[in-house]
Amino acid sequence: MDNTHTGKSTPISDTIGCITVLAVVLGIGYFAFLGAKSAWASHTAKKGPTPEEIQAKKDLDLLRSRIDMLEAAHTQMQAEMRFAASAAESAKTASFTPGSAGYQLVQSKTGTFLVRLDKVAPYANGQRLTFQVANTQSITYKNPTITVTWSTAAPEVTESEDYAKAYETWTASRRTKTETVFIELQPGWWSTFNIVVSPATASEVANIDLALTATIVSIPIR
């Protein structure tokens, strides 16, 4: 019997060959896909944003910068308005402590006056406050209305919650008295008047605020 193999293929070998060829083709295709993907990513990265995108970013950055400038200007304007309002309100009142020297300006609707605290003395169950007022206008004022607010010494400023509570309590403890003083404030002269606040001890008049309103004026006719 002749055992010599012939060159004919069998079904099994044909199947194996097909699978092998298919595997090679798929492998080549997979690696080709990876290469194309990498090349595309590299191309996209190198390409960068378009001119339209660059201009849009510049416009957006400029808009953001202008918004920041407007917000800063608005914040500054608000601070200036608060300062101006505080200064205007502060100008209406003179603040003193017993023994303080010098005078302060008091702005009223009809003029500006110089005010100083002359002395504080016990009087009955209260304290007698002696003030001097100088009329800086060229007209005479009669019977000004004086508003005095007095209190103990203000609590020392801290950043604690205890200070906030102490300040609130101190503010609520302040007392006010409004009184018409029957004097004439002559032009260019100092005038003296007294106001008694009671009940009040010496420690309860550690802070004194004064506001003045003068609506009765006398102007000589020539």
Coordinates of all heavy atoms in Angstrom, one line a residue, residues 81-93:
M81 N -21.0 106.9 48.9 CA -22.3 107.4 49.3 C -22.6 107.2 50.8 O -23.2 108.0 51.5 CB -23.4 106.7 48.4 CG -23.4 107.1 47.0 SD -24.6 106.2 46.0 CE -26.1 106.8 46.7
R82 N -22.2 106.0 51.3 CA -22.4 105.7 52.7 C -21.6 106.7 53.6 O -22.0 107.2 54.6 CB -22.1 104.2 53.0 CG -23.1 103.2 52.5 CD -22.8 101.9 53.2 NE -21.6 101.3 52.8 CZ -21.4 100.5 51.8 NH1 -22.4 100.2 51.0 NH2 -20.2 100.0 51.5
F83 N -20.3 106.9 53.1 CA -19.5 107.8 53.8 C -20.0 109.2 53.8 O -20.0 109.9 54.9 CB -18.1 107.8 53.2 CG -17.1 108.8 53.9 CD1 -16.5 108.4 55.1 CD2 -16.8 110.0 53.3 CE1 -15.6 109.3 55.7 CE2 -16.0 110.9 53.9 CZ -15.4 110.6 55.1
A84 N -20.5 109.7 52.7 CA -21.1 111.0 52.6 C -22.3 111.1 53.5 O -22.5 112.2 54.2 CB -21.5 111.3 51.1
A85 N -23.2 110.1 53.5 CA -24.4 110.1 54.3 C -24.0 110.2 55.8 O -24.6 110.9 56.6 CB -25.3 108.9 54.0
S86 N -23.0 109.3 56.1 CA -22.6 109.3 57.5 C -21.9 110.6 57.9 O -22.2 111.1 59.0 CB -21.5 108.2 57.7 OG -21.0 108.2 59.0
A87 N -21.2 111.2 57.0 CA -20.5 112.5 57.3 C -21.6 113.6 57.5 O -21.5 114.5 58.4 CB -19.5 112.9 56.2
A88 N -22.6 113.6 56.6 CA -23.7 114.6 56.7 C -24.4 114.5 58.0 O -24.8 115.5 58.6 CB -24.6 114.5 55.5
E89 N -24.7 113.2 58.4 CA -25.5 113.0 59.6 C -24.6 113.4 60.8 O -25.1 113.9 61.8 CB -25.9 111.5 59.7 CG -26.9 111.2 60.8 CD -28.2 111.9 60.6 OE1 -28.6 112.2 59.5 OE2 -28.8 112.2 61.7
S90 N -23.3 113.0 60.7 CA -22.4 113.4 61.8 C -22.2 114.9 62.0 O -22.1 115.3 63.1 CB -21.0 112.7 61.6 OG -20.1 113.1 62.6
A91 N -22.3 115.6 60.9 CA -22.2 117.1 61.0 C -23.3 117.7 61.8 O -23.2 118.9 62.2 CB -22.0 117.7 59.6
K92 N -24.4 117.0 61.9 CA -25.6 117.6 62.6 C -25.4 117.5 64.1 O -26.2 118.1 64.9 CB -26.9 116.9 62.2 CG -27.2 117.0 60.7 CD -28.4 116.3 60.4 CE -28.8 116.4 58.9 NZ -30.0 115.6 58.5
T93 N -24.5 116.7 64.6 CA -24.3 116.4 66.0 C -22.9 116.7 66.5 O -21.9 116.3 65.8 CB -24.7 115.0 66.3 OG1 -26.0 114.7 65.8 CG2 -24.7 114.7 67.8

